[in-house]
Amino acid sequence: MTTHELPTYCRICEPLCGLIATVEDGKLVQLRADKEHPLSRGNACPKGIAFTEIQNDPDRVLYPLRRTPDGEFERVSWDEALDGIGERLRDIIRDHGRESLGWYFGNPSSFSYSHTLWLVGFQLAAGLRHVYSAGSQDVNNRFVASQLLYGSLTSVPVPDLDRTDFLLMLGANPVVSHGSVVSAPRIREKLTAITKRGGRVVVVDPRHTETARLFEHVGIRPDGDAWLLASLLQVIFAEGLDDGRALRRQAAGIRELRDAVSRFTPESTAEVTGLELDRIRALARDLAHAKSAAVYGRTGTCLGRHATLVAFLIDALALVTGNLDAPGGSVFGKELVAASKLNARLGLIGYGKNRSRIGDFPDVLGTFPAAIMAKEITTPGPGQLRALFTSAGNPVSSVPNGRELASAIEQLDLFVSIDLYVTDTNRTADYILPATTFLERDDIPLPFTALSPTPYTQYTERVLEPYGEAREEWRIIDDIALRIGVQPFAAGPASALGGLITGLRRRIPGGRAVRPTPPVLADLALRTGPYGDLFGLRRGGLSLRMLRRHPHGVILADSITTGVLSEVVQHKGGRVNLAPGEIIAELHALAAPVLDPTYPLRVIGMRELKSHNSWMHNVEPLMRGDREHAARINPKDAAVVGLSDGNRCRVTSAHGSIEVMVRITDEMTEGTVAIPHGWGHRGGWRRANAAGGANVNDLMSTDLADVEPLAGMANLNGVPIRLDPVPAD
C-alpha cells in the first residue's frame, strides 16, 4: 500500500482553506485542515472536510452517458459521445447558425482557472451570444456597480478587516458563509478582532443571523437596503459629515448625488426600512465619525429589486465618508494577473457590449440573465436558443421558476451537461459528460488574490488521478470546439489574446510558439502580472515553478496597499463617477413598494453551515443531525395563521407555492420568513429522493418586469408571500 499526504486547498467557497489529502493507492482516504497553510492555519469547515464523500460518492458520473429513446442513460465511449455531439452541432449550425448555441456555467467554475479560461476562449472564438451563469443569481450587480463607479467591472473593493475600526455589513452572514467577494480564512476571528481592539461591527439583516448574534444587529425589513443607504447619505450630507477633501480628490458628480438622496430623510424611509429614526441618524453619524470604516454588502443585498443601486450606494457611502481606498476602509486589492487591464486593452468582455434577444438586457462579463433562458429557448425567431451546454451548474434548481426552465429544456435540439452528477437539470440531457473534481486537476485561484485583505496565492497540482473516465472541463470544451472547427483563443476577439500569448512565448529564452494549455497560460499570466518574476527580471517574483516550491501557499504582502484609486478608475479624468444617469434616474424614481394584503409577509433566503447549494446534499455526514429544511418564522407571524413549531405550512407567492417544516424563532424580524436555498431536488442518480425539502425558487418570478434591469439580477429576496397551515395526515 502506497500512502501520500499532499497539500492542496478547498474550492467550495472563497476562503480557499488549506487541506491535506491522504491518498492510498490512488484513492482519497481523508481530508483534513492544513496546519502549515499561512492563513487558514489548520482551520477548515465541515463542507471542506466532507468533500471526501463527494470524491468517493457512488452517485458520481464517471463515464460519458447518452440518453436512450426510453429516457434512460447508457454508457458510451468518449469518442462516441463527442462525435455524436459534434455531428448534431454541425447540423444545428448549418440550419440556424452559431447564434443558436448557448452555455450556462455555475458557481464552481469560478474556482477552476482552466474551466473559466477555456470557456471564455471558446465563447469568443465561436461568437457565442447565449451565455448565462449563476452570476445573475449571485454577484453581477456588484460588477455593474463597479463599471458605473470606476469604469472597470472587476474592480471590487473589499473591507480592510485587519485595520478597520467600524464595519458596516449588509446582507452578509460570514460566520456561516465564511465570506463572499472577500477571501479571508478564519473570518470569524478577523471580525471578533475588530471589537477586541475597541471597534464595532454592525450587521444589517432582516434575520438575527449567526453573525449578528456576535455583534450589533440592525433588523431591517427585506429589500429595504436602498432606502437605508440613501437615508444614511442624506443625513451625512445634511449634517455636513461628508469628507470634503476625499470628495474633491476622488469623485465627480457629487452635487447630483447629494440632490438625488436629499428626499430620503429617515422620516421618509422608516416605513420601508422598519427602523427608528434615531437609529438611522446615529448609524450615519457613527460611520462618519469613525477613525476608519468599511462598508460591505453581500448576497442579501444582491437579490432585491434594486440590486445594482444598492451595490453602488455601498461604495458611494464609503467614498463620501472618506473611507474608499483608505487604510481600514473599503480597499482595492492587486490582481494576481493583469486581467482588468488586459481586458480593457483587448476589449474581450465587458458590460452592455451585447443585448439579449428577450428583454433587451445588457450583457455582464459576456453573460445574460439566467432568468430569461427558458424564454430564449421557447420564443421562435432569429437567434433562438436551440443547443445548450451546462457546466458545473444546476439551473433548474438555482434560477427562479425552475419548472419553466425544465419544460423549455425538453424543446432543445441538443442538450449536453458537463457535471459530477445526474441533476434535476440534466436528467433530460442528450449527453452527460463526467467532469473531474477539484482534487483531480491543478489549480490556482486567479480571481481571488485581489479580494483578500492579506494578499495571498497558492498553486496545487492534482492530488488524484481522475476516477473512471472523468476529464477536466477545459479538455472537454476544447474537444467540443474542435468538432465544430473552432480553436479557443484562435478566432474572433480571442485571437488577439492568442497572438499575445504566442508573442510572449517567443520572447522567453528557449520559448516557442505552442498551442496554449492552462498551465502555459497561468504561468505567462503570473510572470507578467503585478507580482510576477518578469521571466527572471524581478527577483522573488511569481511563476508556477516558484509556487511549486511553496505547496502550502505564499503571502504576497501584509495588507492591501492603499492610494491606488487613480490606477483603478478607468473613467476619463480619473475620478469615481457618483452620478451615472442610470443611478440618478433610479434614485429619483425610487418609491415605497405597494403592499398587497393577500401576501402580507416577505421571504428571504439564508445560508446553512452544513449545506452548499444542491450538490453537497449527497454527503451523508452533512445530512445527519440538524439537517432539515424548514422555514424560520417569527412567533407573532406564526400565531396569526395558527402555526406551531414542527408543523408543516404552505408558503405561497403570486408565482408558486411550496410546503416546508415550520421553525418558530425570535431570530426573525416580524413580517419576514427565511427559507434556505439549495433544497427541493431529487438527489443523485441512485439516491433519487436523498435530499427532500422544497425549492424556495419555485416562489420566484421570471417575468421580465421582475428581472433587475441594470445587471439582470433575479429577484430572490423580499418576495411577498403568505403562510397557510397544512393539515396533518
Side-chain angles (χ1 to χ4, degrees), residues 37-57:
H37 190 283
L39 292 183
S40 59
R41 305 190 312 278
N43 182 70
C45 81
K47 295 188 288 291
I49 299 301
F51 196 82
T52 303
E53 305 296 322
I54 296 287
Q55 178 65 43
N56 298 327
D57 192 346

Side-chain angles (χ1 to χ4, degrees), residues 4-25:
H4 300 283
E5 302 272 308
L6 302 169
T8 185
Y9 64 90
C10 183
R11 276 146 279 175
I12 294 175
C13 59
E14 287 157 84
L16 310 170
C17 298
L19 297 172
I20 298 295
T22 302
V23 179
E24 291 183 357
D25 293 335

Side-chain angles (χ1 to χ4, degrees), residues 533-545:
D533 72 352
L534 300 178
F535 306 109
L537 297 178
R538 181 187 291 155
R539 192 171 182 178
L542 294 183
S543 66
L544 284 191
R545 178 182 294 179

Side-chain angles (χ1 to χ4, degrees), residues 100 161 268 380 412 425 517 699 703:
S100 64
L161 298 175
S268 70
L412 289 165
T425 297
T517 63
L699 301 173
D703 292 349

Side-chain angles (χ1 to χ4, degrees), residues 619-666:
V619 179
E620 295 296 344
L622 295 182
M623 294 300 291
R624 297 188 196 121
D626 60 353
R627 301 295 292 115
E628 65 175 11
H629 193 223
R632 278 67 166 178
I633 304 170
N634 181 278
K636 292 182 180 179
D637 296 324
V640 168
V641 291
L643 290 172
S644 299
D645 198 68
N647 288 167
R648 292 192 64 78
C649 73
R650 176 166 291 277
V651 185
T652 303
S653 74
H655 310 287
S657 65
I658 59 174
E659 288 187 14
V660 289
M661 184 78 71
V662 171
R663 284 289 169 247
I664 297 175
T665 171
D666 288 325

Side-chain angles (χ1 to χ4, degrees), residues 446-499:
L446 294 181
F448 295 104
T449 297
L451 301 176
S452 177
T454 303
Y456 162 88
T457 196
Q458 180 176 6
Y459 177 75
T460 180
E461 303 279 8
R462 64 171 56 164
V463 299
L464 293 162
E465 290 299 314
Y467 285 12
E469 294 181 7
R471 291 186 180 179
E472 294 179 59
E473 288 99 340
W474 80 269
R475 292 188 180 276
I476 300 171
I477 294 167
D478 209 55
D479 284 334
I480 291 167
L482 292 177
R483 278 166 171 78
I484 60 170
V486 171
Q487 183 175 323
F489 307 108
S495 61
L497 181 58

